[in-house]
Amino acid sequence: VQLQASGGGLVQAGGSLRLSCAASGRILLSYVMGWFRQAPGKEREFLAAIRWSASTTYYADSVKGRFTISRDYAKNTLYLQMNSLKPEDTAVYYCAVARLMAYDQDAYDAWGQGTQVTVSS
């Protein structure tokens, strides 16, 4: 599986962005796809994940209520809708796929290249 993330950019605080992650190759129904981010000088952080089959979702407390993960099964595409953005959301955002649900990045087998999100105050 290869992943291509897009949709990042510069936005003012309080604004919104929607990230996309197009997957080439077969995503098994049992797989989980997730979003992570990494800010300068910080470790990569789990944000959200979704089961490809049943759309069950999981969120980090830091983004719950502001970010929404979703997937389009027909388009083989993962999304992250980000609302009420804050300057501390500035980071490179990555999509990834895992065989089982996990919050640990080490469980994810394939990664997209990352897309930069910058939130100005």
Side-chain angles (χ1 to χ4, degrees), residues 61-108:
D61 288 341
S62 58
V63 303
K64 197 175 295 183
R66 297 192 300 126
F67 291 9
T68 303
I69 190 170
S70 63
R71 59 96 169 105
D72 186 321
Y73 183 81
K75 294 183 178 179
N76 235 25
T77 300
L78 177 73
Y79 302 100
L80 185 68
Q81 177 67 43
M82 305 187 294
N83 299 327
S84 303
L85 284 163
K86 307 173 183 179
E88 51 263 43
D89 293 317
T90 295
V92 178
Y93 284 67
Y94 299 89
C95 56
V97 61
R99 301 181 187 208
L100 296 172
M101 176 54 208
Y103 297 93
D104 187 340
Q105 60 174 318
D106 291 339
Y108 288 76

Side-chain angles (χ1 to χ4, degrees), residues 3-33:
L3 305 176
Q4 179 78 30
S6 61
L10 174 63
V11 63
Q12 288 190 331
S16 299
L17 279 175
R18 188 175 83 155
L19 306 182
S20 298
C21 176
S24 60
R26 187 180 177 194
I27 306 291
L28 298 181
L29 292 176
S30 59
Y31 283 8
V32 170
M33 291 193 74

Side-chain angles (χ1 to χ4, degrees), residues 33-50:
M33 291 193 74
W35 288 99
F36 291 74
R37 70 184 177 191
Q38 188 167 20
K42 294 189 176 181
E43 303 222 341
R44 193 169 293 186
E45 172 189 16
F46 170 85
L47 298 177
I50 185 167

